[in-house]
Amino acid sequence: MRRRGPGAEHGGVTETTPGPSLHLPLSQTLSLSQTLSLPQSPFLSLPEVLVLLGAVALLVARWLPPAARRPGTLAAGAVLVPSAIVLGVVGIRWQMLPVLAGAAAVSAFALPPLLRRRTGRPARRARWWLALPGTLACAGLIATGPVAAWAFPVPVFPEPTGDFAVGTRVLQWTDPLRPEGFTADPDDRRTVVAQLWYPARKSPAGVPRAQYLGRTQDEARTVAEALADGVGLPGFLVDGVPRARSRAVVDAPVADGGERFPVVLFSPGSGGVRSQNTAWAEELAGHGYLVAALDHPYDSAVVVVADGRTIRSTTVSSGDRDKDEELAVGWTAVRAADLGFALTQLERLDRGETTDPLTGRLDTGRAAVAGHSLGGAAALQAARRDHRFDAVVDLDGYPHGPTAPALGKPALALTQEITAGTDPRYLPRLTEALDHNTATSYRLTVPGAGHLTFTDGPLYLPPVPSIVGTLGRTESPRTVAAATLAFLDATLRGRPGDPADTLRAYGTVSSSGARGTAAPTP
């Protein structure tokens, strides 16, 4: 990744703050499309709504009484044409192409009669029984647009419910002592990219919110395409995702007061990215936590590093169950080491070894580690190996790697419902990992959850139960974040009472470990 320079001291670390190519001032990174963007619904922006209304009005005008036909067509065109021009400037999403195609087809039949009448020639119109099939076909085309926009929307992130506003920024750290095992260069050293979400002061209403999936829209497009490719989807299907803005503000001033924030480290799923749980991270930060989510180069779907290189995943399944388990154990160990290394860098940051607005505001003595899927397995291993982690949260992750020594930290595992289609090894393996804990472990089974319920996926993927579950776009992020907060508030902040009492509001809870195995409670 980055090579150790001649001046690097043994045990030191190379820290890179994103340079101009990755972290421009907001005024420079706003594209024309963002500058001209208008308030939008979860599915269609205002120009898209106007194009849709114009196309429908043009379609309907064909069937108006003769006296209203011409003014109706002209009014529809007056709405449709300027709105289509605006879309051409800000960027046309693929969902609007069938709407524009339908409007163009209607125009081909609606405009000639008007032009003939203007020249004094008699207008010729198709018989109704010939026009009706064409009208229905165009109506079908136009209707396809909003349906597709509903299935693949620009994600709209929930407003954090905590007392704090949320700031975010990206850091990059290189460990001079750890070789990069994914490359053959003996001088290459392991690098991680971390995105921080932290409690911040409230920003003025007009301040732009952070770009989702990347520091710039170009990076966001690269990440979105890589995520789509990872699940076998054409990249254009998620072209709305790079347009999204989260609720955080880039480089927002840290919240006033002397409060120190507990720290939560996060590892994404296999082929995931650091920002895949942005809604979850922002909710935690709004409640006073510092969340640091990692990109693991060569394992995350794609990572754009400070020197401008784009590093894509090289971790590939072999198709052989035993071989894949061996590979997963190795990848999990690398991720666990990345998480411990990141906590070390946050400790250095808090001590002031690097100049940072968060110096003196991080309570690294109260630290949790979390992850989704393979990241959940890495979180369990990091907590097992590193005594500095006080709690662990596994978001539907299969535990890879050893179950010894005993975990010894409070643990929360959130899982989807176990069905006939679930890997039969999953529940026994998870139960074994939790039962060998000398502290109390909780397993929360969330009814209606799918594997991607525990990510931002429900905000922008089609609401197909097998993919994102049945909780919906609003309830999915709320449930996952609320359950996590209930556990962290109890384990890191010492909130009195048994977390299981709060967790039961979100599903079925079972507990094990220090208090013994308890029967599941609804």
Side-chain angles (χ1 to χ4, degrees), residues 111-173:
L111 295 181
L114 297 182
L115 295 175
R116 285 194 182 95
R117 184 171 296 169
R118 188 175 181 83
T119 60
R121 292 155 49 188
R124 297 178 181 176
R125 296 177 55 78
R127 300 279 186 176
W128 72 267
W129 48 270
L130 289 175
L132 184 59
T135 298
L136 293 176
C138 290
L141 266 178
I142 294 170
T144 299
V147 172
W150 169 78
F152 293 95
V154 176
V156 175
F157 284 83
E159 191 73 46
T161 63
D163 295 332
F164 297 98
V166 180
T168 187
R169 58 199 179 86
V170 177
L171 297 174
Q172 180 172 305
W173 298 308

Short mmCIF file of all heavy atoms in Angstrom, two decimals, residues 111-173:
data_model
loop_
_atom_site.label_atom_id
_atom_site.label_comp_id
_atom_site.label_asym_id
_atom_site.label_seq_id
_atom_site.Cartn_x
_atom_site.Cartn_y
_atom_site.Cartn_z
N LEU A 111 -48.27 16.26 -31.93
CA LEU A 111 -47.83 17.51 -32.52
C LEU A 111 -48.22 17.70 -33.98
O LEU A 111 -48.59 18.81 -34.39
CB LEU A 111 -46.31 17.65 -32.36
CG LEU A 111 -45.82 17.76 -30.91
CD1 LEU A 111 -44.30 17.92 -30.87
CD2 LEU A 111 -46.48 18.94 -30.20
N PRO A 112 -48.15 16.67 -34.84
CA PRO A 112 -48.50 16.90 -36.25
C PRO A 112 -49.87 17.52 -36.48
O PRO A 112 -50.00 18.45 -37.29
CB PRO A 112 -48.39 15.50 -36.87
CG PRO A 112 -47.35 14.83 -36.04
CD PRO A 112 -47.59 15.33 -34.66
N PRO A 113 -50.94 17.08 -35.79
CA PRO A 113 -52.24 17.75 -36.00
C PRO A 113 -52.20 19.23 -35.65
O PRO A 113 -52.83 20.05 -36.32
CB PRO A 113 -53.19 16.98 -35.07
CG PRO A 113 -52.56 15.64 -34.91
CD PRO A 113 -51.09 15.90 -34.92
N LEU A 114 -51.46 19.59 -34.60
CA LEU A 114 -51.37 21.01 -34.24
C LEU A 114 -50.63 21.81 -35.29
O LEU A 114 -51.01 22.94 -35.62
CB LEU A 114 -50.66 21.15 -32.88
CG LEU A 114 -51.34 20.53 -31.66
CD1 LEU A 114 -50.52 20.81 -30.41
CD2 LEU A 114 -52.76 21.06 -31.50
N LEU A 115 -49.57 21.22 -35.84
CA LEU A 115 -48.80 21.93 -36.87
C LEU A 115 -49.60 22.09 -38.15
O LEU A 115 -49.56 23.13 -38.81
CB LEU A 115 -47.49 21.17 -37.14
CG LEU A 115 -46.51 21.09 -35.95
CD1 LEU A 115 -45.32 20.21 -36.30
CD2 LEU A 115 -46.05 22.49 -35.56
N ARG A 116 -50.36 21.06 -38.52
CA ARG A 116 -51.19 21.17 -39.73
C ARG A 116 -52.24 22.26 -39.56
O ARG A 116 -52.51 23.04 -40.47
CB ARG A 116 -51.86 19.83 -40.02
CG ARG A 116 -50.93 18.78 -40.60
CD ARG A 116 -51.73 17.61 -41.15
NE ARG A 116 -50.85 16.57 -41.67
CZ ARG A 116 -50.47 15.52 -40.95
NH1 ARG A 116 -50.90 15.38 -39.71
NH2 ARG A 116 -49.67 14.63 -41.47
N ARG A 117 -52.82 22.32 -38.38
CA ARG A 117 -53.84 23.34 -38.13
C ARG A 117 -53.24 24.72 -38.19
O ARG A 117 -53.86 25.67 -38.66
CB ARG A 117 -54.47 23.08 -36.76
CG ARG A 117 -55.62 24.02 -36.44
CD ARG A 117 -56.32 23.55 -35.18
NE ARG A 117 -56.94 22.24 -35.38
CZ ARG A 117 -57.43 21.51 -34.40
NH1 ARG A 117 -57.35 21.94 -33.15
NH2 ARG A 117 -57.98 20.34 -34.66
N ARG A 118 -52.00 24.87 -37.73
CA ARG A 118 -51.34 26.18 -37.74
C ARG A 118 -51.09 26.64 -39.17
O ARG A 118 -51.09 27.84 -39.45
CB ARG A 118 -50.03 26.09 -36.95
CG ARG A 118 -49.37 27.45 -36.73
CD ARG A 118 -48.16 27.28 -35.83
NE ARG A 118 -47.52 28.55 -35.59
CZ ARG A 118 -47.89 29.43 -34.68
NH1 ARG A 118 -48.92 29.16 -33.90
NH2 ARG A 118 -47.25 30.57 -34.51
N THR A 119 -50.84 25.71 -40.08
CA THR A 119 -50.59 26.06 -41.48
C THR A 119 -51.88 26.12 -42.29
O THR A 119 -51.84 26.36 -43.50
CB THR A 119 -49.65 25.02 -42.12
OG1 THR A 119 -50.26 23.73 -42.04
CG2 THR A 119 -48.30 25.01 -41.42
N GLY A 120 -52.98 25.88 -41.63
CA GLY A 120 -54.26 25.97 -42.32
C GLY A 120 -54.68 24.68 -43.00
O GLY A 120 -55.77 24.61 -43.58
N ARG A 121 -53.88 23.65 -42.93
CA ARG A 121 -54.25 22.36 -43.52
C ARG A 121 -55.12 21.59 -42.54
O ARG A 121 -54.98 21.74 -41.33
CB ARG A 121 -52.99 21.56 -43.85
CG ARG A 121 -52.18 22.21 -44.99
CD ARG A 121 -50.72 21.84 -44.93
NE ARG A 121 -50.51 20.41 -44.78
CZ ARG A 121 -49.32 19.87 -44.56
NH1 ARG A 121 -48.26 20.66 -44.44
NH2 ARG A 121 -49.19 18.57 -44.44
N PRO A 122 -56.00 20.77 -43.03
CA PRO A 122 -56.88 20.01 -42.12
C PRO A 122 -56.07 19.03 -41.27
O PRO A 122 -55.15 18.36 -41.76
CB PRO A 122 -57.84 19.28 -43.07
CG PRO A 122 -57.11 19.22 -44.38
CD PRO A 122 -56.28 20.46 -44.45
N ALA A 123 -56.43 18.96 -40.00
CA ALA A 123 -55.73 18.04 -39.09
C ALA A 123 -56.26 16.63 -39.29
O ALA A 123 -57.46 16.40 -39.42
CB ALA A 123 -55.96 18.48 -37.65
N ARG A 124 -55.35 15.69 -39.35
CA ARG A 124 -55.72 14.29 -39.49
C ARG A 124 -55.41 13.56 -38.18
O ARG A 124 -54.32 13.64 -37.67
CB ARG A 124 -54.96 13.64 -40.64
CG ARG A 124 -55.29 14.25 -42.00
CD ARG A 124 -54.45 13.61 -43.09
NE ARG A 124 -54.73 14.20 -44.40
CZ ARG A 124 -54.07 13.87 -45.51
NH1 ARG A 124 -53.10 12.97 -45.44
NH2 ARG A 124 -54.38 14.45 -46.65
N ARG A 125 -56.37 12.85 -37.69
CA ARG A 125 -56.22 12.14 -36.43
C ARG A 125 -56.59 10.69 -36.62
O ARG A 125 -57.50 10.34 -37.38
CB ARG A 125 -57.12 12.76 -35.34
CG ARG A 125 -56.75 14.19 -35.02
CD ARG A 125 -57.71 14.77 -33.99
NE ARG A 125 -57.78 13.96 -32.80
CZ ARG A 125 -56.88 13.95 -31.84
NH1 ARG A 125 -55.82 14.74 -31.93
NH2 ARG A 125 -57.02 13.19 -30.77
N ALA A 126 -55.87 9.83 -35.92
CA ALA A 126 -56.18 8.39 -36.00
C ALA A 126 -57.51 8.11 -35.33
O ALA A 126 -57.92 8.79 -34.39
CB ALA A 126 -55.07 7.59 -35.32
N ARG A 127 -58.19 7.11 -35.80
CA ARG A 127 -59.44 6.68 -35.18
C ARG A 127 -59.16 6.23 -33.74
O ARG A 127 -58.08 5.74 -33.42
CB ARG A 127 -60.03 5.51 -35.96
CG ARG A 127 -60.34 5.84 -37.40
CD ARG A 127 -61.65 6.56 -37.51
NE ARG A 127 -62.04 6.77 -38.89
CZ ARG A 127 -63.18 7.32 -39.26
NH1 ARG A 127 -64.04 7.71 -38.33
NH2 ARG A 127 -63.46 7.48 -40.54
N TRP A 128 -60.17 6.38 -32.88
CA TRP A 128 -59.96 6.09 -31.46
C TRP A 128 -59.54 4.65 -31.23
O TRP A 128 -58.72 4.35 -30.36
CB TRP A 128 -61.22 6.41 -30.67
CG TRP A 128 -62.37 5.44 -30.89
CD1 TRP A 128 -63.37 5.56 -31.78
CD2 TRP A 128 -62.56 4.21 -30.19
NE1 TRP A 128 -64.21 4.47 -31.72
CE2 TRP A 128 -63.73 3.62 -30.73
CE3 TRP A 128 -61.88 3.55 -29.18
CZ2 TRP A 128 -64.22 2.40 -30.30
CZ3 TRP A 128 -62.37 2.33 -28.75
CH2 TRP A 128 -63.54 1.76 -29.29
N TRP A 129 -60.09 3.72 -32.03
CA TRP A 129 -59.78 2.31 -31.83
C TRP A 129 -58.37 1.97 -32.29
O TRP A 129 -57.82 0.94 -31.93
CB TRP A 129 -60.81 1.42 -32.52
CG TRP A 129 -61.13 1.81 -33.94
CD1 TRP A 129 -62.09 2.68 -34.36
CD2 TRP A 129 -60.46 1.34 -35.11
NE1 TRP A 129 -62.09 2.79 -35.72
CE2 TRP A 129 -61.10 1.96 -36.21
CE3 TRP A 129 -59.43 0.44 -35.35
CZ2 TRP A 129 -60.70 1.74 -37.52
CZ3 TRP A 129 -59.02 0.21 -36.65
CH2 TRP A 129 -59.67 0.85 -37.72
N LEU A 130 -57.78 2.87 -33.12
CA LEU A 130 -56.36 2.71 -33.45
C LEU A 130 -55.47 3.44 -32.44
O LEU A 130 -54.37 2.98 -32.12
CB LEU A 130 -56.10 3.27 -34.86
CG LEU A 130 -56.66 2.47 -36.04
CD1 LEU A 130 -56.42 3.23 -37.33
CD2 LEU A 130 -56.01 1.09 -36.10
N ALA A 131 -55.97 4.57 -31.93
CA ALA A 131 -55.16 5.36 -31.00
C ALA A 131 -55.10 4.73 -29.62
O ALA A 131 -54.11 4.90 -28.89
CB ALA A 131 -55.73 6.77 -30.89
N LEU A 132 -56.16 3.99 -29.24
CA LEU A 132 -56.21 3.44 -27.88
C LEU A 132 -55.06 2.49 -27.57
O LEU A 132 -54.42 2.63 -26.51
CB LEU A 132 -57.55 2.74 -27.66
CG LEU A 132 -57.77 2.20 -26.24
CD1 LEU A 132 -57.68 3.32 -25.21
CD2 LEU A 132 -59.12 1.48 -26.15
N PRO A 133 -54.72 1.52 -28.45
CA PRO A 133 -53.58 0.65 -28.12
C PRO A 133 -52.27 1.43 -27.97
O PRO A 133 -51.46 1.14 -27.08
CB PRO A 133 -53.51 -0.31 -29.31
CG PRO A 133 -54.89 -0.31 -29.88
CD PRO A 133 -55.41 1.08 -29.68
N GLY A 134 -52.07 2.44 -28.83
CA GLY A 134 -50.85 3.25 -28.71
C GLY A 134 -50.82 4.03 -27.42
O GLY A 134 -49.78 4.15 -26.77
N THR A 135 -52.00 4.55 -27.03
CA THR A 135 -52.08 5.28 -25.77
C THR A 135 -51.74 4.38 -24.59
O THR A 135 -51.00 4.76 -23.68
CB THR A 135 -53.49 5.87 -25.60
OG1 THR A 135 -53.74 6.79 -26.66
CG2 THR A 135 -53.61 6.59 -24.26
N LEU A 136 -52.30 3.16 -24.62
CA LEU A 136 -52.03 2.23 -23.52
C LEU A 136 -50.56 1.84 -23.48
O LEU A 136 -49.97 1.72 -22.39
CB LEU A 136 -52.92 0.99 -23.67
CG LEU A 136 -54.42 1.23 -23.48
CD1 LEU A 136 -55.20 -0.07 -23.74
CD2 LEU A 136 -54.72 1.76 -22.08
N ALA A 137 -49.96 1.65 -24.65
CA ALA A 137 -48.53 1.29 -24.69
C ALA A 137 -47.68 2.43 -24.12
O ALA A 137 -46.75 2.20 -23.33
CB ALA A 137 -48.11 0.96 -26.11
N CYS A 138 -48.00 3.67 -24.51
CA CYS A 138 -47.25 4.82 -23.98
C CYS A 138 -47.49 4.98 -22.49
O CYS A 138 -46.56 5.33 -21.74
CB CYS A 138 -47.65 6.09 -24.73
SG CYS A 138 -47.08 6.13 -26.45
N ALA A 139 -48.74 4.74 -22.05
CA ALA A 139 -49.03 4.82 -20.63
C ALA A 139 -48.21 3.80 -19.84
O ALA A 139 -47.71 4.09 -18.74
CB ALA A 139 -50.52 4.61 -20.38
N GLY A 140 -48.06 2.60 -20.41
CA GLY A 140 -47.24 1.59 -19.75
C GLY A 140 -45.79 2.01 -19.63
O GLY A 140 -45.14 1.82 -18.60
N LEU A 141 -45.27 2.63 -20.71
CA LEU A 141 -43.89 3.12 -20.68
C LEU A 141 -43.74 4.19 -19.59
O LEU A 141 -42.80 4.16 -18.78
CB LEU A 141 -43.51 3.71 -22.04
CG LEU A 141 -42.81 2.81 -23.04
CD1 LEU A 141 -42.57 3.58 -24.34
CD2 LEU A 141 -41.50 2.28 -22.50
N ILE A 142 -44.64 5.14 -19.59
CA ILE A 142 -44.54 6.24 -18.63
C ILE A 142 -44.66 5.73 -17.20
O ILE A 142 -43.95 6.18 -16.30
CB ILE A 142 -45.62 7.30 -18.94
CG1 ILE A 142 -45.32 7.97 -20.29
CG2 ILE A 142 -45.70 8.34 -17.83
CD1 ILE A 142 -46.45 8.85 -20.82
N ALA A 143 -45.55 4.77 -16.97
CA ALA A 143 -45.74 4.22 -15.62
C ALA A 143 -44.52 3.45 -15.14
O ALA A 143 -44.28 3.33 -13.93
CB ALA A 143 -46.97 3.32 -15.59
N THR A 144 -43.74 2.92 -16.08
CA THR A 144 -42.54 2.18 -15.70
C THR A 144 -41.56 3.05 -14.91
O THR A 144 -40.87 2.57 -14.00
CB THR A 144 -41.84 1.61 -16.94
OG1 THR A 144 -42.73 0.73 -17.62
CG2 THR A 144 -40.57 0.86 -16.59
N GLY A 145 -41.51 4.35 -15.24
CA GLY A 145 -40.56 5.24 -14.59
C GLY A 145 -40.74 5.34 -13.09
O GLY A 145 -39.80 5.05 -12.33
N PRO A 146 -41.92 5.76 -12.60
CA PRO A 146 -42.08 5.86 -11.15
C PRO A 146 -41.97 4.53 -10.42
O PRO A 146 -41.51 4.47 -9.28
CB PRO A 146 -43.47 6.48 -10.97
CG PRO A 146 -44.16 6.29 -12.27
CD PRO A 146 -43.10 6.28 -13.31
N VAL A 147 -42.39 3.43 -11.09
CA VAL A 147 -42.25 2.11 -10.46
C VAL A 147 -40.76 1.78 -10.28
O VAL A 147 -40.33 1.31 -9.22
CB VAL A 147 -42.96 1.03 -11.28
CG1 VAL A 147 -42.64 -0.36 -10.74
CG2 VAL A 147 -44.47 1.26 -11.29
N ALA A 148 -39.96 2.04 -11.32
CA ALA A 148 -38.52 1.78 -11.22
C ALA A 148 -37.86 2.70 -10.20
O ALA A 148 -36.95 2.29 -9.48
CB ALA A 148 -37.87 1.96 -12.60
N ALA A 149 -38.33 3.95 -10.13
CA ALA A 149 -37.77 4.88 -9.14
C ALA A 149 -38.12 4.45 -7.73
O ALA A 149 -37.33 4.66 -6.79
CB ALA A 149 -38.29 6.29 -9.40
N TRP A 150 -39.29 3.86 -7.55
CA TRP A 150 -39.67 3.33 -6.24
C TRP A 150 -38.80 2.12 -5.87
O TRP A 150 -38.39 1.96 -4.71
CB TRP A 150 -41.14 2.94 -6.26
CG TRP A 150 -41.59 2.15 -5.06
CD1 TRP A 150 -41.88 2.63 -3.82
CD2 TRP A 150 -41.80 0.73 -5.01
NE1 TRP A 150 -42.25 1.59 -2.98
CE2 TRP A 150 -42.21 0.42 -3.69
CE3 TRP A 150 -41.67 -0.30 -5.94
CZ2 TRP A 150 -42.50 -0.89 -3.29
CZ3 TRP A 150 -41.96 -1.60 -5.54
CH2 TRP A 150 -42.37 -1.88 -4.23
N ALA A 151 -38.51 1.28 -6.86
CA ALA A 151 -37.71 0.09 -6.59
C ALA A 151 -36.24 0.42 -6.35
O ALA A 151 -35.58 -0.21 -5.52
CB ALA A 151 -37.84 -0.90 -7.75
N PHE A 152 -35.71 1.40 -7.08
CA PHE A 152 -34.30 1.80 -6.95
C PHE A 152 -34.22 3.30 -6.72
O PHE A 152 -33.83 4.06 -7.59
CB PHE A 152 -33.53 1.42 -8.21
CG PHE A 152 -33.38 -0.05 -8.45
CD1 PHE A 152 -34.28 -0.72 -9.27
CD2 PHE A 152 -32.37 -0.78 -7.85
CE1 PHE A 152 -34.15 -2.09 -9.50
CE2 PHE A 152 -32.24 -2.14 -8.07
CZ PHE A 152 -33.13 -2.80 -8.89
N PRO A 153 -34.59 3.76 -5.51
CA PRO A 153 -34.63 5.22 -5.27
C PRO A 153 -33.26 5.79 -4.94
O PRO A 153 -32.30 5.07 -4.66
CB PRO A 153 -35.56 5.32 -4.05
CG PRO A 153 -35.25 4.06 -3.29
CD PRO A 153 -35.03 2.99 -4.33
N VAL A 154 -33.19 7.11 -4.98
CA VAL A 154 -32.07 7.80 -4.33
C VAL A 154 -32.31 7.68 -2.83
O VAL A 154 -33.35 8.10 -2.34
CB VAL A 154 -32.02 9.28 -4.75
CG1 VAL A 154 -30.92 10.01 -3.98
CG2 VAL A 154 -31.83 9.43 -6.24
N PRO A 155 -31.41 7.06 -2.09
CA PRO A 155 -31.68 6.86 -0.66
C PRO A 155 -31.83 8.17 0.09
O PRO A 155 -31.08 9.12 -0.13
CB PRO A 155 -30.46 6.06 -0.17
CG PRO A 155 -29.40 6.29 -1.19
CD PRO A 155 -30.10 6.51 -2.49
N VAL A 156 -32.82 8.20 0.97
CA VAL A 156 -33.03 9.34 1.85
C VAL A 156 -32.77 8.86 3.28
O VAL A 156 -33.45 7.98 3.78
CB VAL A 156 -34.47 9.89 1.73
CG1 VAL A 156 -34.70 11.00 2.74
CG2 VAL A 156 -34.72 10.38 0.31
N PHE A 157 -31.76 9.43 3.91
CA PHE A 157 -31.31 8.93 5.20
C PHE A 157 -32.17 9.50 6.34
O PHE A 157 -32.56 10.66 6.30
CB PHE A 157 -29.84 9.29 5.43
CG PHE A 157 -28.92 8.41 4.64
CD1 PHE A 157 -28.65 8.68 3.31
CD2 PHE A 157 -28.36 7.28 5.22
CE1 PHE A 157 -27.83 7.85 2.57
CE2 PHE A 157 -27.54 6.45 4.49
CZ PHE A 157 -27.28 6.73 3.16
N PRO A 158 -32.46 8.67 7.34
CA PRO A 158 -33.25 9.16 8.47
C PRO A 158 -32.48 10.19 9.27
O PRO A 158 -31.25 10.12 9.40
CB PRO A 158 -33.50 7.89 9.30
CG PRO A 158 -32.40 6.95 8.92
CD PRO A 158 -32.08 7.25 7.49
N GLU A 159 -33.21 11.16 9.80
CA GLU A 159 -32.58 12.16 10.66
C GLU A 159 -32.21 11.51 11.99
O GLU A 159 -33.04 10.85 12.62
CB GLU A 159 -33.58 13.30 10.91
CG GLU A 159 -32.97 14.52 11.57
CD GLU A 159 -32.10 15.33 10.62
OE1 GLU A 159 -32.52 15.59 9.49
OE2 GLU A 159 -30.98 15.68 11.07
N PRO A 160 -30.95 11.64 12.43
CA PRO A 160 -30.58 11.07 13.74
C PRO A 160 -31.47 11.63 14.85
O PRO A 160 -31.82 12.81 14.85
CB PRO A 160 -29.12 11.49 13.90
CG PRO A 160 -28.62 11.69 12.50
CD PRO A 160 -29.80 12.23 11.75
N THR A 161 -31.80 10.78 15.81
CA THR A 161 -32.74 11.16 16.87
C THR A 161 -32.05 11.64 18.14
O THR A 161 -32.73 12.01 19.09
CB THR A 161 -33.66 9.98 17.22
OG1 THR A 161 -32.85 8.89 17.74
CG2 THR A 161 -34.43 9.49 16.01
N GLY A 162 -30.73 11.62 18.17
CA GLY A 162 -30.02 12.00 19.39
C GLY A 162 -29.95 13.50 19.59
O GLY A 162 -30.48 14.30 18.81
N ASP A 163 -29.26 13.90 20.64
CA ASP A 163 -29.14 15.31 21.00
C ASP A 163 -28.09 16.05 20.17
O ASP A 163 -28.05 17.28 20.19
CB ASP A 163 -28.78 15.44 22.48
CG ASP A 163 -29.88 14.94 23.39
OD1 ASP A 163 -31.06 14.99 22.97
OD2 ASP A 163 -29.57 14.48 24.52
N PHE A 164 -27.23 15.31 19.48
CA PHE A 164 -26.12 15.93 18.76
C PHE A 164 -26.38 15.95 17.26
O PHE A 164 -27.02 15.04 16.71
CB PHE A 164 -24.82 15.17 19.01
CG PHE A 164 -24.35 15.18 20.43
CD1 PHE A 164 -24.60 14.10 21.27
CD2 PHE A 164 -23.64 16.26 20.94
CE1 PHE A 164 -24.17 14.09 22.58
CE2 PHE A 164 -23.21 16.26 22.27
CZ PHE A 164 -23.47 15.18 23.08
N ALA A 165 -25.86 16.98 16.59
CA ALA A 165 -25.69 16.92 15.15
C ALA A 165 -24.51 15.98 14.86
O ALA A 165 -23.81 15.55 15.79
CB ALA A 165 -25.43 18.31 14.59
N VAL A 166 -24.27 15.67 13.61
CA VAL A 166 -23.25 14.67 13.26
C VAL A 166 -22.27 15.25 12.25
O VAL A 166 -22.67 15.85 11.25
CB VAL A 166 -23.89 13.39 12.69
CG1 VAL A 166 -22.81 12.36 12.34
CG2 VAL A 166 -24.89 12.80 13.68
N GLY A 167 -20.99 15.07 12.55
CA GLY A 167 -19.93 15.43 11.61
C GLY A 167 -19.26 14.17 11.10
O GLY A 167 -19.37 13.09 11.70
N THR A 168 -18.56 14.30 9.98
CA THR A 168 -17.87 13.13 9.41
C THR A 168 -16.61 13.57 8.68
O THR A 168 -16.52 14.71 8.19
CB THR A 168 -18.79 12.36 8.45
OG1 THR A 168 -18.14 11.14 8.05
CG2 THR A 168 -19.10 13.17 7.19
N ARG A 169 -15.65 12.70 8.62
CA ARG A 169 -14.45 12.90 7.81
C ARG A 169 -13.73 11.57 7.64
O ARG A 169 -14.06 10.58 8.31
CB ARG A 169 -13.52 13.95 8.39
CG ARG A 169 -13.02 13.70 9.78
CD ARG A 169 -12.52 15.01 10.39
NE ARG A 169 -12.05 14.83 11.74
CZ ARG A 169 -10.82 14.46 12.08
NH1 ARG A 169 -9.92 14.22 11.13
NH2 ARG A 169 -10.46 14.32 13.34
N VAL A 170 -12.75 11.57 6.75
CA VAL A 170 -12.06 10.34 6.40
C VAL A 170 -10.57 10.48 6.69
O VAL A 170 -9.96 11.52 6.38
CB VAL A 170 -12.28 10.00 4.90
CG1 VAL A 170 -11.50 8.74 4.51
CG2 VAL A 170 -13.76 9.81 4.61
N LEU A 171 -10.00 9.46 7.31
CA LEU A 171 -8.56 9.41 7.59
C LEU A 171 -7.98 8.14 6.99
O LEU A 171 -8.70 7.17 6.72
CB LEU A 171 -8.30 9.42 9.10
CG LEU A 171 -8.74 10.66 9.87
CD1 LEU A 171 -8.54 10.44 11.37
CD2 LEU A 171 -7.98 11.89 9.40
N GLN A 172 -6.68 8.14 6.80
CA GLN A 172 -5.98 6.96 6.28
C GLN A 172 -4.74 6.72 7.13
O GLN A 172 -3.98 7.65 7.40
CB GLN A 172 -5.58 7.21 4.81
CG GLN A 172 -4.84 6.03 4.18
CD GLN A 172 -4.65 6.25 2.69
OE1 GLN A 172 -5.59 6.48 1.95
NE2 GLN A 172 -3.40 6.19 2.24
N TRP A 173 -4.57 5.49 7.56
CA TRP A 173 -3.45 5.14 8.42
C TRP A 173 -2.67 3.98 7.84
O TRP A 173 -3.26 3.01 7.33
CB TRP A 173 -3.95 4.73 9.82
CG TRP A 173 -4.68 5.78 10.57
CD1 TRP A 173 -4.27 7.06 10.83
CD2 TRP A 173 -5.96 5.65 11.20
NE1 TRP A 173 -5.21 7.73 11.58
CE2 TRP A 173 -6.26 6.89 11.82
CE3 TRP A 173 -6.89 4.61 11.30
CZ2 TRP A 173 -7.43 7.12 12.53
CZ3 TRP A 173 -8.07 4.83 12.02
CH2 TRP A 173 -8.33 6.07 12.61
#
